[in-house]
């Protein structure tokens, strides 16, 4: 069941609180880790939201800043809610695809260093950081 805050969130971004939009938001709220559009579509199928609507909804949420698109090097885009995830990143197991969150990347220092090393850039508007390696169980195999 969508929360009042979901409808309020959509209205704050000048979007109508439609059943498909509320269903997609609810699916994203119920998971701790990023979801692919296919995963979201499976989660909202019972609400009769089709794949095309799921893709369009995720794109409109991304444009509005409601979701963040995450690249996990799995051949498709993944999405997660943006709210409450300042300086939020992921570490991904290259063997079993386990994903864990971490925070902190010393953003300001990293941006300053990057801009000093470039000639054609004067600012950074946002960033994404995903690390890839082996989780403890996979490294013990």
């Amino acid at each position: 069941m969508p929360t009042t805050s979901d409808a309020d969130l959509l209205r704050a971004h000048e979007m109508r609180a439609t059943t498909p939009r509320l269903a997609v938001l609810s699916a994203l709220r119920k998971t701790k880790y990023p979801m692919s559009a296919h995963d979201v579509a499976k989660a909202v199928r019972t609400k009769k939201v089709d794949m095309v609507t799921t893709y369009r909804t995720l794109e409109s949420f991304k444009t509005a800043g409601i979701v963040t698109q995450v690249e996990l090097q799995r051949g498709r885009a993944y999405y997660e809610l943006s709210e409450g995830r300042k300086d939020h990143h992921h570490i991904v197991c290259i063997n079993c695809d386990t994903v864990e969150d971490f925070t902190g990347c010393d953003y300001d220092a990293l941006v300053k260093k990057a801009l000093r090393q470039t000639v054609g850039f004067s600012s950074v508007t946002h960033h994404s950081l995903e690390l890839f390696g082996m989780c403890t169980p996979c490294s013990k195999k």
Side-chain angles (χ1 to χ4, degrees):
M1 189 76 174
T3 65
T4 304
S5 64
D6 288 341
D8 291 341
L9 175 65
L10 291 173
R11 288 186 199 104
H13 289 278
E14 299 180 356
M15 298 176 136
R16 290 183 327 128
T18 64
T19 299
R21 287 176 181 155
L22 291 169
V24 168
L25 268 178
S26 178
L28 290 167
R29 278 200 197 287
K30 289 179 183 172
T31 185
K32 185 177 178 184
Y33 299 108
M35 296 176 76
S36 69
H38 186 267
D39 295 334
V40 173
K42 280 196 317 190
V44 299
R45 189 170 290 144
T46 58
K47 307 234 182 339
K48 299 184 180 178
V49 179
D50 64 24
M51 195 71 204
V52 172
T53 302
T54 301
Y55 274 113
R56 286 183 182 154
T57 300
L58 288 168
E59 273 305 306
S60 67
F61 284 0
K62 184 174 96 172
T63 300
I66 296 170
V67 300
T68 303
Q69 184 174 327
V70 181
E71 177 53 54
L72 299 178
Q73 295 185 358
R74 294 179 180 165
R76 63 179 78 157
Y78 285 77
Y79 302 87
E80 64 185 356
L81 292 175
S82 298
E83 65 186 4
R85 294 185 181 247
K86 186 172 175 18
D87 204 20
H88 165 90
H89 309 290
H90 306 94
I91 186 165
V92 182
C93 180
I94 58 173
N95 188 54
C96 70
D97 289 335
T98 294
V99 178
E100 289 193 20
D101 298 335
F102 72 95
T103 58
C105 66
D106 201 6
Y107 175 75
D108 293 329
L110 182 62
V111 168
K112 286 177 186 173
K113 183 175 182 178
L115 291 175
R116 278 194 306 268
Q117 293 178 25
T118 64
V119 178
F121 287 86
S122 61
S123 67
V124 173
T125 59
H126 60 282
H127 73 291
S128 173
L129 177 63
E130 277 65 50
L131 302 175
F132 299 87
M134 296 279 278
C135 68
T136 303
C138 287
S139 64
K140 290 181 179 179
K141 290 181 182 177

